[in-house]
Amino acid sequence: MRRSPLLWAVALAVYAFLYIPLVVVVLYSFNDSRLNAEWVGFTLHWYRVLLNDGEMLEAGANSLLIAFVSATFATLLGTMSGIAMHRFKLRALPLLVITPVAMPEILLGVSLLIFFVQVLNFTLGLFSVLIAHITFCVGFVAIVVRARLAGMDESIFEASRDLGASPWQTFRLITFPLILPGVIAGALMAFTLSIDDFVITFFTAGVGVHTLPLQIYSMIKIAVTPEVNAVSTLLMTLTLGMIIVASRFAPDALKGAA
Amino acid sequence: MALLEIRNVVRRFADFTAVDGVSLQVEAGEFFTLLGPSGCGKTTLLRMIAGFDAPDEGELLLDGQSLRGIPPEHRPIHTVFQSYALFPHLTVAENVAFPLRMAKVAPDDIRRRVQDALEAVHLSEKQRHLPHELSGGQKQRVALARGLVNRPRLLLLDEPLGALDAKLREEMQMELINLQKNVGITFVFVTHSQAEALALSHRIAVMNRGHVEQLDEPSRLYSFPRNRFVADFIGKINMLEAAVLRSTAEALVLDVAGVGEVWAPALPAVAAGQRGMFAVRPEQVRIQSGEVAPAGVGHNQVHGRVLDFLYIGDVTTYLVELANGTRLEALLPNTAPGRAKFFEADDPVTLTWSSQVGVFLDA
């Protein structure tokens, strides 16, 4: 099919705008200089620095743990709410589930902080961060799962009951396999949202726990060294790897989000 | 005892009554059809039989046992859905095996019975395909095999031929008739197509606005519609205003607007002076050239002019206007090759029909 050159140009510009900064970050993580200014030569020095940076490693481990646990719970809860939103046409339910998604993060962060400290009289730390992350991730998973269900022929589920399957068997054998790509896409979203969240984590972490974004932020307050590039590159590789694994495991996982 | 008995079933939704006091019985081994326009309540009734919906009043009984409170998975009733509702992530064989797995049939038996079922619908070579790789007609066959494989007491079919093109639909009609005859399972078929209903069914319940208007064999429905709705819905029919002149045991004599005295088959319940409609099918009206002289008492006859005609291939329908402006349709088979019509527009013609055909409708 013929496309106008203008369309090509716009598309290229958009992709360039998206990806060139990422490429620059990756390149300069291998740059043999303290500054992100000009290319001097190739080195793995910044990765060695990173590996010896105990605080950074701990922050990374925290981030991975938080992302994994909150993605797991958010996927569980989000899948259930996605199905509930689809099945029961209650007007209040989508509002309740989706509001945290639409709410400015700063608001969510502040209100969670007030809730934890003043209402629950809770010591901020790993647990409060987990609760906060699960809270804002549930809505994303629910939206993806519901979108997946919305396109489906309702009579498939009736057919299952009709042919002798109990509601639970219908879920296990029919509904779940059909929404699985959506569930995986939702889990990936939740994982990525959690691992790079700054604002909400900032308000709910207190002094007890450091995550990667918080650590990077506190580093660049002093000076931006290529160690930040190195850690960003690793984070990017992880995300990319997850997308590749997901697309192997369930080829239309990414379509599920559409 | 009837296999399925529907007793005074009523189903109301927020602002209308979908099924309004339906009672009927389906006998074992029957090919039974619920026929009616969309919104007549036929699908709602089917959903209540399957167990997806429950009546507000009345009762459904299977083999004399009430179906109240029994969920769909515990009813020995399967459904072939309009959209086929095949499980998109399972192969053809897995789809057909599904009801057997749910019934905990032994794996060896499942394999054998799935083979048999697929053979019966000529799809053995497609068993490893996924539904999206099949044509509409093939999906239809898988849905049928899946519905029949566990030998339900009753198979419900919800407009299963609606999505097929005309030629395939005709083929599937033949197959459905044979399949039902071979497996001996009772079919309850829902359709809005009168042609489909007439071709397939042993008995038809014509539904309108939640009521059963008439329940009869196809040929009786066609020849003796009980009211205007049925007459109009089943096939084409000419309807003329009429008043009863005399009603005897042998015949009904009517005064039909624009025609005059018409002799029709006797209807004992009808009395002189009643007003209503005289209805006669286009293929029962003979059309002849010119103005033929009256043939005597009991021979219905009227003069008119050809207004228009419609060539369909095997037949041509002529629209004839009578002196008073009333229009009648007459149908003539095209027996002479290469001729699309026997009359031209504006030709004077005479329409005749036997006193044994046509029906007086007072409602």
Side-chain angles (χ1 to χ4, degrees):
Chain A
M1 220 189 300
R2 287 179 61 87
R3 299 256 187 257
S4 84
L6 187 69
L7 200 62
W8 276 109
V10 171
L12 275 175
V14 168
Y15 281 112
F17 191 74
L18 278 172
Y19 286 103
I20 286 175
L22 293 177
V23 172
V24 168
V25 166
V26 173
L27 278 180
Y28 277 85
S29 75
F30 298 106
N31 190 15
D32 195 3
S33 160
R34 281 201 67 78
L35 299 169
N36 270 324
E38 76 182 308
W39 183 257
V40 177
F42 179 84
T43 180
L44 287 175
H45 173 71
W46 301 113
Y47 288 88
R48 275 192 290 275
V49 171
L50 180 63
L51 279 179
N52 292 317
D53 186 342
E55 263 183 62
M56 185 68 95
L57 289 181
E58 195 195 317
N62 280 339
S63 274
L64 283 177
L65 176 76
I66 291 166
F68 184 75
V69 175
S70 51
T72 306
F73 280 93
T75 303
L76 211 68
L77 293 171
T79 302
M80 292 198 287
S81 22
I83 293 171
M85 280 195 290
H86 177 73
R87 184 155 316 158
F88 312 109
K89 311 287 179 206
L90 299 170
R91 225 165 283 179
L93 192 63
L95 212 66
L96 283 173
V97 175
I98 291 166
T99 300
V101 172
M103 186 119 71
E105 276 194 71
I106 183 90
L107 259 177
L108 203 58
V110 170
S111 51
L112 281 167
L113 174 69
I114 294 169
F115 180 70
F116 285 136
V117 175
Q118 297 195 341
V119 181
L120 294 184
N121 204 7
F122 210 71
T123 313
L124 296 180
L126 192 63
F127 195 66
S128 55
V129 173
L130 275 175
I131 301 279
H133 280 209
I134 293 169
T135 308
F136 79 79
C137 288
V138 165
F140 287 95
V141 180
I143 290 170
V144 177
V145 169
R146 181 167 76 152
R148 179 94 194 151
L149 278 168
M152 260 175 228
D153 176 9
E154 222 31 55
S155 56
I156 287 172
F157 308 112
E158 288 187 342
S160 166
R161 296 286 301 277
D162 186 71
L163 295 168
S166 67
W168 170 243
Q169 283 172 315
T170 299
F171 176 77
R172 199 163 51 84
L173 300 170
I174 307 298
T175 315
F176 189 69
L178 289 176
I179 61 170
L180 187 60
V183 172
I184 292 173
L188 279 175
M189 268 174 85
F191 190 91
T192 350
L193 286 168
S194 167
I195 209 162
D196 78 347
D197 177 75
F198 179 80
V199 177
I200 292 171
T201 317
F202 183 76
F203 282 99
T204 54
V207 288
V209 61
H210 251 199
T211 65
L212 213 47
L214 296 184
Q215 185 67 23
I216 293 172
Y217 175 70
S218 68
M219 273 178 71
I220 60 170
K221 273 195 294 192
I222 307 160
V224 188
T225 77
E227 188 191 347
V228 174
N229 295 46
V231 78
S232 309
T233 304
L234 289 182
L235 205 57
M236 248 186 271
T237 315
L238 177 75
T239 318
L240 207 65
M242 276 186 354
I243 292 171
I244 290 167
V245 168
S247 60
R248 278 280 162 80
F249 179 56
D252 44 339
L254 301 172
K255 274 189 266 165
Chain B
M1 182 181 19
L3 175 68
L4 175 73
E5 188 178 349
I6 296 171
R7 269 192 208 155
N8 299 315
V9 163
V10 176
R11 179 70 176 111
R12 294 184 198 90
F13 292 110
D15 50 352
F16 83 114
T17 306
V19 176
D20 194 2
V22 168
S23 292
L24 55 86
Q25 300 190 342
V26 178
E27 303 295 334
E30 202 172 16
F31 198 128
F32 190 94
T33 295
L34 297 168
L35 170 68
S38 56
C40 73
K42 57 191 193 297
T43 298
T44 306
L45 195 58
L46 198 78
R47 291 179 61 80
M48 288 191 282
I49 301 171
F52 302 129
D53 201 354
D56 292 317
E57 286 170 34
E59 192 122 44
L60 295 136
L61 299 107
L62 189 75
D63 291 318
Q65 301 288 310
S66 172
L67 287 171
R68 188 184 300 272
I70 299 178
E73 64 264 33
H74 292 141
R75 298 185 183 197
I77 298 170
H78 290 172
T79 307
V80 174
F81 291 82
Q82 188 169 16
S83 62
Y84 316 135
L86 299 181
F87 305 129
H89 60 303
L90 301 182
T91 64
V92 167
E94 286 167 339
N95 262 283
V96 177
F98 191 82
L100 298 172
R101 272 174 69 198
M102 293 304 106
K104 299 203 162 47
V105 173
D108 284 347
D109 280 356
I110 293 183
R111 220 163 299 132
R112 188 177 45 78
R113 286 168 70 176
V114 168
Q115 292 309 328
D116 291 350
L118 286 175
E119 234 160 76
V121 295
H122 321 296
L123 272 180
S124 300
E125 76 283 8
K126 295 280 181 197
Q127 54 176 304
R128 287 184 209 291
H129 287 62
L130 285 170
H132 72 86
E133 298 168 315
L134 304 179
S135 69
Q138 289 169 336
K139 285 183 194 169
Q140 175 66 81
R141 290 195 178 92
V142 177
L144 272 171
R146 188 178 68 173
L148 289 168
V149 71
N150 203 20
R151 302 202 57 82
R153 299 282 291 139
L154 201 59
L155 187 72
L156 309 176
L157 302 105
D158 185 10
E159 308 232 6
L161 308 180
L164 305 178
D165 63 65
K167 189 146 176 58
L168 199 54
R169 201 178 311 153
E170 215 163 285
E171 274 176 41
M172 280 307 295
Q173 286 183 11
M174 290 288 181
E175 275 194 43
L176 267 182
I177 294 174
N178 289 328
L179 199 61
Q180 199 267 340
K181 211 188 296 172
N182 293 339
V183 296
I185 289 171
T186 312
F187 280 22
V188 174
F189 187 88
V190 157
T191 183
H192 65 268
S193 154
Q194 45 99 9
E196 225 166 78
L198 293 175
L200 294 171
S201 327
H202 295 139
R203 284 194 308 155
I204 300 172
V206 181
M207 289 186 70
N208 181 32
R209 296 181 185 181
H211 299 278
V212 173
E213 298 279 1
Q214 189 170 354
L215 200 170
D216 236 323
E217 289 164 21
S219 61
R220 289 197 56 82
L221 267 184
Y222 188 79
S223 305
F224 305 105
R226 206 161 62 193
N227 55 38
R228 277 180 222 182
F229 178 81
V230 177
D232 207 31
F233 195 74
I234 309 262
K236 274 190 150 185
I237 203 158
N238 294 302
M239 284 222 237
L240 305 167
E241 286 200 32
V244 179
L245 295 175
R246 293 190 302 280
S247 176
T248 69
E250 289 79 39
L252 201 59
V253 184
L254 307 167
D255 178 25
V256 174
V259 181
E261 195 170 285
V262 166
W263 289 57
L267 273 181
V270 169
Q274 250 177 289
R275 306 196 63 83
M277 288 282 179
F278 172 72
V280 62
R281 302 271 177 205
E283 73 273 15
Q284 291 170 332
V285 177
R286 292 188 55 206
I287 181 167
Q288 288 169 270
S289 183
E291 298 200 355
V292 179
V297 169
H299 290 268
N300 302 312
Q301 189 175 90
V302 67
H303 300 304
R305 278 178 183 282
V306 173
L307 198 66
D308 213 341
F309 50 86
L310 186 67
Y311 175 66
I312 300 166
D314 50 351
V315 295
T316 298
T317 301
Y318 297 90
L319 184 62
V320 175
E321 192 172 58
L322 307 184
N324 73 338
T326 304
R327 288 168 186 188
L328 271 174
E329 278 186 21
L331 202 143
L332 207 57
N334 289 319
T335 46
R339 265 182 89 172
K341 54 185 187 284
F342 289 92
F343 305 100
E344 294 292 340
D346 223 30
D347 276 359
V349 289
T350 301
L351 302 176
T352 59
W353 63 91
S354 151
S355 60
Q356 302 303 310
V357 303
V359 61
F360 175 76
L361 306 168
D362 60 349

